[in-house]
């Protein structure tokens, strides 16, 4: 039915995965430097257990997630971004030419690439992974469990009416949610059913950016004045409590009906360092702000194994929030206090959660830490050979 939907859509389609174009950033630029080319690597000589991947200026580090041993140092020029591919072996690396496939277990770039101009958001939901190429507006959908070998899996594609910094999500029903906009403005989102028919649309979301999935296959899209919630076949607008209240980065959980979001109120700030986060209840459509007493960045948001809302503050602590109660229930000291750099591409601490372990980078000391989310114990720390920037890893299954 997915192919039928795509064929019936109003967009121009492509059958090849090579004709297509991650963004967690709080800005609208997600492309790497021009001129970077995919790099072939030798066959794998290592087998990393539960690998983690860290970017640095000029390459990628692959670590064994159980020992923290650096098992691969892969040179790759440009500003590169990383996202879990959705299986237990691969990570997608966004470069200037597309989404390269990294065999994280084997610590090698496979040479396979989903080509695309200005590769942007990578979204995992259910058993599907969706890529959005900002330079063309092309969307690519595939099953990440078909990534084996050095080739690319079969894909479906959808062409947005206009190129923009967008995002798309395939719902468990097979419906496709995709943002609306162009290079000048982004206004909302629409949903296409399995036959390519539009079943819902909202253009009440200025500056649309980012997405998160909540329990029961509900999707939240960020706006400059609140969020859009897609639930039960319809969009609902949830307004910010302030005139300008931008929610551009979100973190969802299959265990919770509440989505964690950032919250910025100063439209004219060169760099706003917010100290409040937002909690969006996707059932009753309410939005609650929580004061943290510390600032954070777009790489600070995560969810715990039981739906806990986690925020890595510039005070060096992980703030654990009960999403339903809207209260900070615990703080875990992990790293030294830090300050967000002015340029979003510059290194800053990042948080990545897998199962019951929270991984945190500390660029100032070139360290990576592992923390047990329940006990608050720092399980392991290692000094890296390079200053870490982005942090990711394999996730075992899409959507988790």
């Amino acid at each position: 039915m997915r192919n039928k939907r795509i064929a019936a859509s109003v967009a121009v389609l492509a059958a090849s995965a090579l004709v297509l174009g991650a963004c967690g950033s709080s800005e609208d630029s997600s492309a790497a430097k021009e001129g970077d080319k995919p790099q072939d690597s030798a066959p794998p000589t290592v087998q990393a257990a539960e690998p983690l991947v860290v970017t640095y200026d000029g390459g990628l580090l692959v670590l064994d997630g159980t020992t923290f041993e650096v098992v691969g140092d892969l040179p790759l020029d440009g500003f590169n971004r990383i996202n879990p591919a959705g299986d237990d072996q691969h990570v997608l690396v966004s470069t200037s030419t597309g989404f390269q496939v990294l065999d994280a277990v084997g610590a090698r770039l496979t040479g396979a690439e989903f080509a695309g101009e200005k590769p942007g958001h990578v979204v995992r939901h259910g058993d599907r992974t969706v890529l959005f190429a900002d330079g063309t507006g092309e969307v690519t959908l595939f099953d990440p469990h078909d990534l084996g070998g050095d080739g690319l899996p079969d894909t479906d594609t959808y062409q947005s009416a206009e190129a923009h910094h967008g995002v798309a999500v395939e719902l468990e029903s097979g419906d496709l949610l995709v943002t609306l906009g162009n290079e000048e403005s982004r206004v909302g989102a629409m949903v296409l059913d399995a036959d390519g028919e539009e079943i819902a649309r909202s253009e009440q979301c200025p500056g649309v950016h980012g997405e998160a999935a909540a329990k029961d296959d509900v999707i939240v899209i960020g706006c400059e004045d609140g969020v859009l919630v897609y639930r039960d076949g319809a969009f609902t607008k949830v307004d910010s409590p302030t005139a300008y209240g931008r929610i551009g980065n979100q973190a969802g959980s299959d265990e919770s009906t509440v989505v964690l979001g950032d919250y910025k109120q100063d439209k004219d700030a060169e760099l706003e360092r917010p100290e409040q986060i937002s909690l969006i209840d996707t059932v009753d459509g309410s939005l609650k702000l929580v004061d943290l007493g510390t600032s954070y960045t777009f790489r600070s948001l995560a969810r715990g194994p039981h739906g806990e809302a986690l925020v890595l503050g510039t005070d060096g602590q992980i703030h654990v929030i009960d999403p339903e109660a809207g209260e900070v229930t615990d703080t875990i000291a992990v790293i030294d206090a830090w300050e967000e750099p002015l340029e979003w591409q510059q290194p800053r601490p990042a948080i990545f959660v897998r199962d019951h372990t929270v991984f945190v980078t500390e660029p100032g000391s070139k360290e990576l830490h592992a923390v047990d989310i329940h006990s608050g114990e720092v399980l392991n720390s290692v000094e890296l050979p390079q200053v870490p920037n982005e942090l990711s890893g394999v996730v075992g299954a899409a959507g988790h």
Side-chain angles (χ1 to χ4, degrees):
M1 293 299 290
R2 295 188 180 98
N3 285 331
K4 184 177 180 181
R5 177 196 68 215
I6 302 302
S9 70
V10 296
V12 178
L13 310 178
S16 171
L18 296 175
V19 194
L20 74 132
C23 170
S25 84
S26 58
E27 306 300 332
D28 293 343
S29 174
S30 58
K33 295 177 182 178
E34 294 298 324
D36 303 329
K37 299 297 183 183
Q39 297 186 8
D40 294 329
S41 300
T45 57
V46 298
Q47 289 289 307
E50 301 178 0
L52 300 167
V53 182
V54 173
T55 68
Y56 66 88
D57 186 9
L60 310 167
L61 298 175
V62 181
L63 289 81
D64 186 297
T66 61
T67 66
F68 268 30
E69 177 188 0
V70 177
V71 296
D73 187 342
L74 310 177
L76 189 63
D77 291 337
F79 179 71
N80 305 300
R81 315 207 64 191
I82 49 177
N83 286 277
D87 66 353
D88 60 3
Q89 182 169 350
H90 298 91
V91 167
L92 295 178
V93 183
S94 301
T95 71
S96 64
T97 57
F99 303 88
Q100 292 194 40
V101 179
L102 168 66
D103 175 0
V105 171
R108 69 186 188 103
L109 289 163
T110 67
E113 179 184 65
F114 297 92
E117 183 181 344
K118 296 182 179 179
H121 283 268
V122 175
V123 176
R124 298 165 292 109
H125 184 58
D127 288 320
R128 301 282 282 179
T129 298
V130 181
L131 314 176
F132 197 101
D134 293 347
T136 60
E138 190 166 30
V139 177
T140 299
L141 312 91
F142 64 93
D143 185 336
H145 302 94
D146 294 337
L147 278 171
D150 291 347
L152 292 173
D154 293 336
T155 64
D156 296 322
T157 57
Y158 167 81
Q159 178 63 53
S160 300
E162 296 182 85
H164 63 285
H165 179 55
V167 66
V169 186
E170 182 170 340
L171 286 81
E172 293 177 4
S173 63
D175 296 343
L176 177 67
L177 184 152
V178 61
T179 52
L180 300 168
N182 53 42
E183 293 182 352
E184 301 299 323
S185 67
R186 305 186 301 277
V187 297
M190 68 175 179
V191 177
L192 303 174
D193 68 11
D195 295 318
E197 298 295 326
E198 183 178 314
I199 57 176
R201 172 186 288 252
S202 175
E203 298 186 15
Q204 297 180 330
C205 187
V208 59
H209 187 275
E211 58 71 41
K215 187 177 181 180
D216 299 326
D217 204 27
V218 178
I219 307 298
V220 172
I221 301 291
C223 318
E224 291 180 348
D225 58 359
V227 298
L228 286 179
V229 176
Y230 182 73
R231 184 185 186 94
D232 298 330
F235 284 106
T236 300
K237 177 64 182 292
V238 179
D239 293 322
S240 295
T242 56
Y244 179 85
R246 184 180 189 269
I247 301 173
N249 300 279
Q250 311 87 33
S253 168
D254 291 341
E255 302 295 322
S256 175
T257 59
V258 178
V259 165
L260 166 67
D262 59 0
Y263 197 77
K264 293 188 174 183
Q265 303 181 53
D266 188 351
K267 186 176 183 179
D268 300 319
E270 178 183 11
L271 174 64
E272 182 176 355
R273 295 183 169 94
E275 296 191 359
Q276 291 180 311
I277 55 90
S278 57
L279 296 171
I280 301 98
D281 190 316
T282 62
V283 176
D284 63 18
S286 63
L287 189 156
K288 180 182 295 185
L289 300 180
V290 178
D291 291 303
L292 296 181
T294 184
S295 63
Y296 59 92
T297 79
F298 66 90
R299 290 194 189 137
S300 294
L301 307 181
R303 302 302 291 267
H306 303 296
E308 307 95 325
L310 308 176
V311 183
L312 177 63
T314 56
D315 59 358
Q317 300 186 94
I318 298 172
H319 297 253
V320 183
I321 304 164
D322 182 326
E324 280 71 32
E327 298 177 352
V328 177
T329 59
D330 195 10
T331 55
I332 303 171
V334 183
I335 61 177
D336 289 339
W338 51 284
E339 183 177 82
E340 178 181 5
L342 287 176
E343 297 295 329
W344 73 267
Q345 297 96 334
Q346 293 300 306
R348 80 278 313 282
I351 185 172
F352 174 70
V353 178
R354 187 165 57 203
D355 297 327
H356 296 265
T357 304
V358 181
F359 301 93
V360 176
T361 57
E362 189 170 10
S365 61
K366 299 199 299 187
E367 288 183 290
L368 174 66
H369 310 278
V371 181
D372 183 282
I373 187 58
H374 299 300
S375 69
E377 178 186 0
V378 177
L379 304 173
N380 200 353
S381 295
V382 64
E383 183 175 347
L384 301 171
Q386 303 286 347
V387 176
N389 197 337
E390 293 209 344
L391 168 66
S392 191
V394 301
V395 294
H400 297 282

